[in-house]
Amino acid sequence: MGRYFRRKLLIYGVTFFIAVTINFAIPRLMPGDPVARMLNRHSVSNSESAAALRTYFEDVFGFDVPLWQQYLNYWTALLQGDLGVSVFAFPSPVSSVVLDALPYTIGLLVPAILLSWIVGNGLGAMAARSKWLDNSVLPLGYLLTAVPYMWLAILLVWSGGVLLDWFPAARGYSLSMQPNLSWAFFVDLVHHWFLPFLSLFIVALGGWAIGMRNLVIYELESDYSNYLQALGAPRRLVRRYAFRNAMLPQISGLALQLGVVVGGALVTEVVFAYPGLGSLLLNAINNQDFFLLQGILLFIVIGVLLFNFLADVAFVLVDPRTRLGLEGGQS
Amino acid sequence: MALEVEDLRVHYRTLRGDVRALDGVSFGLADGEIMGLAGESGCGKTTLGKSLIRLDGRMRHVGGRAVLDGGELPIADDKAMNRRRYRDVSIIPQYSMSAMNPTRKIGKLTADLLRAKGESFRELRPELVRRLELVGLSEQVLDNYPIELSGGMKQRMVMVLSTLLDPSLLIADEVTSALDVSNQKAVAETLVRFRELGFVKSMVVVTHDLSLVYQIADSIMIMYAGRIVEKGPADTIINAPRHPYTRALIEALPEVGLEYGDRRLKSIPGKPPQLLNPPTGCRFRDRCELAHDRCIEDPPAVDLAPDHTASCWKVVD
C-alpha cells in the first residue's frame, strides 16, 4: 500500500510540475503587454517619465531578466509562497487577492458538488427499481446534463432574479453591506448564494442520476445478484449489495467530474457577477494580469489534484479489489 | 418420488413471440437419485433447471406443475417460491466463478444470506466449517474476498454455500464446464459425496458432458428442442440407447482405447429447430436417418422398461 501511495504522490508531483510550467508559459504567450496597459491606465504622457515608470514596473514584476531566469524566479517565489504582485489590483499581492475570492468559490462548489452527488445517486438508485421514476428521471437527467452551465445560469437569473424577483440577480452580497459576522450579513450572503448554487447543482445532478441508474441496473443483473435471488434472498439484501457496488465507480467519478465542475463554476460566477475565482479570472484576463492569472490557475490546479488524491485514497479504502491488488493478495 | 414434473411448459417472451423452451416436460426423480440432464445447447436443459428454482424476467410459466416431496412448487409465484428456495430447492449456478459479491468477505456474505433467510450464522458456523474442510477449504476462506480464491476454490465454496441448509433438491447447472479436467472429476465426486452424507436428497446435474455425468449419475435424461426424448438408467442410456438422437449423441463421443487415426468422430448434421414456431411431430425428424412418414405426428413416450422411456415411432414398432 505504501508503495502505491508513493507512486501516486510521484505522479501528482510530476503533474503539478507540468501544470505550473504551463501556467508560467500561457500568460506570456498571450498577446499584449501588461506594463504598457498599466502605463495607459496611469495616463503618463511624458515620454521620459513613461520610460522611468516602465523600468520601475518591469523591475517590480521581474520582466527585466531573460525568460529562463523569470521561470526560475517564479519557482523560487512560488516555493516561498510568494505569487507576485497583482497588476490589476496593484499593489496588493496576488495571494491575498486570491484568498479573498477563494471562500466564495469553495462555498459555491463544495455544497453543489457534494449535494448533487448525494441526491443524484439516491435518485438514480431509486429510478433503477421503479419503472415510473425511471421514465421521468431518465429523460430529465439527459436534458439536465446536456444543458450548458451558463445557459442555465442565465435562465435562472432571468426567471428567479428578474421575472419573479425572489433572489438578487448578481453579486455575492448587497452593495449596501460590508462583510461582517452579523446574522443579517449571513442571511444576505445565503440569499445571493442560492441561485448560482442552484445552477451548478441542477446541471451536475442529472449526470449523477443517469450514471447511478445504469450502474445499479448493471449490478442488479450481475451474477451475484442472480445467485442471491435464486437462493431466495430478499430484494432488500440484493439491492443493498448492488447499491454498494454501484457506488464504487461513482466515487472515482466524483474526482473526475471535479475538473469539469470547476470550469462550470468559473462561468457561473461570471454570469452572476459572483466575487469568486471565476470573476477574478475574467478580470485577470481582461487586464492581462499575468501574476493574478497564474495565481488563480495554480489554486485550481492544486484543488483538482487534491480532490483527485482524496478520491484515490477513498477508493482504496472502500474497494477490496484495488486494495488487494496493491497488497498482492493472500490465499 | 422426491420430484414429479408434469407437462411443464415455460416460454421465453420475445418481441417476435413466445419461444417454447420447455414444451411439455414430464419426469420423476426418486429420493436420493442423481439425474444427469443432457442435450446440445439450446435444448432447454438450463431452462428446466431454472424453472424449478427461479424464473428470470423473460421466462413465463405457461402450464404444467412440479411437486416436491408431496407439496406443489409454486413455480409462477416468485414470492411464494422464495420460502422454498435454498431450504427445499437450491442451485449451484453455471457462473460459480462470479456468484459471490466481489466486495464482501465470504463469511460476511454467508452471514448476510443466512440472516436474510432467518437462520443463525453463529449456530450454523461449526457445520459450515466442517463442510468446508470436507471439500478441502480452510476456515480462513471466510475472511477472504471471493477474488482471493482460485476458480476451483470458488466453485467448491459455492457448492458448500448452496447446500448448507440441506435442500431436498439440488440443481447443479453446468458445474464442471469452467474447470480443468482434474477439477471436474473432483467436483463430480464431491456431488456424490454430498448426497451420501445427506446434504442433499436428490440432484439434477445439467451438463453437456455425457462422459462425466455417466460416472456420477444414476439416471440420464436427454432433451431435444424443449422436449424429453429419452430417460433411463445411466448404463442403459450410454450402452443401449434407443432414441436415434441419443444414439447420435453417444456416437459423437470419443472412446477410450480406440485408435481413431484418420477416421473422424461422427457429428450430427444440421442444427436444432427454431423454438419460436417449432415443427409439428417429432422435432428431430429433419436430422434423423430413420425418419419416415409417421414422424409428422408427435411420437408417444414409450416405456421400454420400468424406468426407461423413449419418445420415438421407431421404438414403438
Side-chain angles (χ1 to χ4, degrees):
Chain A
M1 187 115 55
R3 226 186 83 213
Y4 170 76
F5 280 115
R6 275 199 296 281
R7 220 184 63 203
K8 274 283 171 196
L9 277 176
L10 184 73
I11 291 172
Y12 282 114
V14 170
T15 314
F16 181 71
F17 174 79
I18 294 172
V20 167
T21 305
I22 293 173
N23 199 5
F24 171 83
I26 283 184
R28 284 169 176 77
L29 295 175
M30 284 185 354
D33 178 355
V35 174
R37 185 174 272 263
M38 266 198 103
L39 291 178
N40 275 339
R41 204 161 46 170
H42 290 260
S43 52
V44 189
S45 47
N46 186 327
S47 64
E48 212 169 289
S49 45
L53 254 179
R54 172 170 276 276
T55 344
Y56 168 70
F57 277 134
E58 288 197 334
D59 179 44
V60 167
F61 296 125
F63 289 148
D64 51 353
V65 291
L67 204 59
W68 63 268
Q69 205 164 350
Q70 284 184 35
Y71 180 64
L72 288 184
N73 289 345
Y74 176 64
W75 267 107
T76 325
L78 188 74
L79 295 175
Q80 289 163 351
D82 175 14
L83 298 175
V85 180
S86 166
V87 175
F88 146 72
F90 190 80
S92 322
V94 165
S95 47
S96 81
V97 176
V98 172
L99 285 178
D100 278 347
L102 200 60
Y104 288 97
T105 298
I106 290 179
L108 203 57
L109 265 181
V110 171
I113 291 172
L114 290 183
L115 278 177
S116 68
W117 190 72
I118 294 166
V119 176
N121 281 332
L123 212 61
M126 284 196 294
R129 61 174 105 144
S130 147
K131 195 107 205 166
W132 176 85
L133 249 178
D134 198 20
N135 284 338
S136 50
V137 166
L138 198 62
L140 200 69
Y142 280 128
L143 190 73
L144 290 183
T145 37
V147 165
Y149 282 99
M150 63 278 193
W151 186 74
L152 187 75
I154 291 168
L155 218 61
L156 283 176
V157 167
W158 176 71
S159 60
V162 179
L163 216 60
L164 296 168
D165 203 23
W166 288 351
F167 294 98
R171 315 185 68 80
Y173 50 86
S174 300
L175 260 181
S176 56
M177 287 213 165
Q178 281 295 319
N180 56 59
L181 277 175
S182 70
W183 179 247
F185 180 72
F186 179 72
V187 170
D188 188 59
L189 210 58
V190 171
H191 199 205
H192 281 80
W193 165 86
F194 187 75
L195 278 189
F197 158 77
L198 193 66
S199 73
L200 288 174
F201 173 77
I202 287 178
V203 173
L205 183 71
W208 292 125
I210 294 172
M212 192 61 182
R213 170 200 172 266
N214 293 347
L215 285 165
V216 169
I217 286 179
Y218 175 79
E219 293 292 338
L220 282 177
E221 279 166 11
S222 67
D223 287 343
Y224 70 83
S225 294
N226 270 323
Y227 180 55
L228 280 176
Q229 282 171 305
L231 293 186
R235 291 295 285 171
R236 204 163 5 98
L237 180 66
V238 180
R239 278 190 191 137
R240 201 175 81 212
Y241 280 2
F243 183 78
R244 283 178 50 125
N245 287 353
M247 281 304 284
L248 301 175
Q250 292 293 78
I251 290 173
S252 54
L254 182 63
L256 291 176
Q257 192 68 22
L258 216 87
V260 183
V261 182
V262 168
L266 302 183
V267 179
T268 307
E269 281 176 11
V270 171
V271 173
F272 285 97
Y274 204 72
L277 287 184
S279 305
L280 201 61
L281 190 68
L282 186 68
N283 278 330
I285 293 170
N286 282 341
N287 291 289
Q288 276 162 0
D289 191 340
F290 284 12
F291 299 98
L292 189 55
L293 200 59
Q294 285 170 352
I296 296 167
L297 293 177
L298 186 73
F299 270 84
I300 293 174
V301 165
I302 291 174
V304 172
L305 288 182
L306 192 72
F307 276 99
N308 269 295
F309 184 68
L310 286 181
D312 273 342
V313 174
F315 207 58
V316 168
L317 290 181
V318 294
D319 192 343
R321 285 169 291 191
T322 41
R323 196 162 62 232
L324 294 168
L326 309 176
E327 286 165 356
Q330 51 177 83
S331 53
Chain B
M1 279 287 170
L3 177 74
E4 275 288 355
V5 175
E6 273 171 46
D7 196 30
L8 187 64
R9 288 167 197 275
V10 172
H11 294 180
Y12 282 96
R13 275 190 286 189
T14 71
L15 287 177
R16 287 190 297 155
D18 276 10
V19 174
R20 301 174 191 195
L22 284 188
D23 205 7
V25 168
S26 307
F27 67 94
L29 192 63
D31 279 345
E33 181 176 344
I34 294 182
M35 183 182 84
L37 177 55
E40 63 197 287
S41 299
C43 70
K45 317 185 287 285
T46 296
T47 309
L48 177 56
K50 276 172 122 181
S51 299
L52 294 174
I53 185 158
R54 180 173 176 262
L55 298 175
D56 69 31
R58 301 160 302 148
M59 286 156 89
R60 199 157 59 91
H61 177 237
V62 178
R65 59 193 212 123
V67 178
L68 181 67
D69 296 329
E72 174 140 6
L73 275 182
I75 289 174
D77 185 348
D78 192 56
K79 273 228 180 75
M81 200 58 197
N82 244 357
R83 285 191 288 276
R84 311 293 300 273
R85 289 181 189 132
Y86 202 12
R87 284 211 182 80
D88 298 338
V89 192
S90 192
I91 186 167
I92 301 172
Q94 253 178 32
Y95 45 78
S96 287
M97 304 300 143
S98 52
M100 289 180 283
N101 183 354
T103 60
R104 199 106 174 114
K105 283 185 178 162
I106 292 171
K108 289 239 176 70
L109 179 109
T110 313
D112 284 345
L113 179 62
L114 290 174
R115 203 174 308 124
K117 295 298 285 182
E119 302 282 339
S120 158
F121 178 59
R122 209 176 314 150
E123 280 170 29
L124 280 166
R125 192 178 167 118
E127 178 64 17
L128 174 64
V129 172
R130 200 171 71 82
R131 292 189 184 184
L132 285 177
E133 276 159 9
L134 198 71
V135 297
L137 293 172
S138 74
E139 186 176 357
Q140 211 218 318
V141 293
L142 295 179
D143 287 323
N144 283 131
Y145 289 96
I147 43 157
E148 294 176 274
L149 271 53
S150 71
M153 288 165 87
K154 273 189 254 190
Q155 176 75 281
R156 279 175 279 157
M157 184 63 227
V158 169
M159 285 170 73
V160 169
L161 189 58
S162 286
T163 54
L164 193 58
L165 296 186
D166 296 346
S168 175
L169 173 68
L170 177 72
I171 294 144
D173 192 358
E174 303 275 14
V175 280
T176 56
S177 301
L179 300 173
D180 64 71
V181 181
S182 56
N183 267 324
Q184 280 182 5
K185 176 95 186 191
V187 163
E189 280 166 359
T190 308
L191 286 177
V192 176
R193 203 132 55 101
F194 274 18
R195 177 191 56 178
E196 275 153 17
L197 292 167
F199 297 171
V200 290
K201 204 151 71 177
S202 30
M203 222 182 278
V204 175
V205 180
V206 179
T207 184
H208 51 243
D209 190 344
L210 267 175
S211 46
L212 187 97
V213 83
Y214 173 50
Q215 296 172 32
I216 63 165
D218 305 312
S219 60
I220 292 179
M221 186 162 90
I222 308 287
M223 286 188 72
Y224 184 76
R227 285 188 176 163
I228 293 168
V229 295
E230 189 166 7
K231 185 188 181 225
D235 273 330
T236 315
I237 295 290
I238 299 296
N239 298 320
R242 296 294 301 275
H243 194 284
Y245 178 62
T246 315
R247 281 188 200 165
L249 268 188
I250 301 210
E251 270 171 23
L253 290 175
E255 236 171 290
V256 176
L258 274 185
E259 189 70 51
Y260 283 91
D262 291 336
R263 195 156 64 85
R264 297 184 59 156
L265 276 171
K266 266 199 189 162
S267 70
I268 310 174
K271 56 182 180 191
Q274 279 276 340
L275 294 179
L276 200 59
N277 289 306
T280 52
C282 175
R283 296 192 171 169
F284 187 58
R285 69 167 193 270
D286 288 346
R287 301 166 78 184
C288 184
E289 288 169 358
L290 307 172
H292 55 105
D293 299 345
R294 194 86 190 266
C295 296
I296 304 251
E297 292 167 48
D298 275 345
V302 183
D303 288 326
L304 301 161
D307 49 4
H308 185 195
T309 51
S311 304
C312 179
W313 285 114
K314 275 286 174 202
V315 176
V316 177
D317 304 336

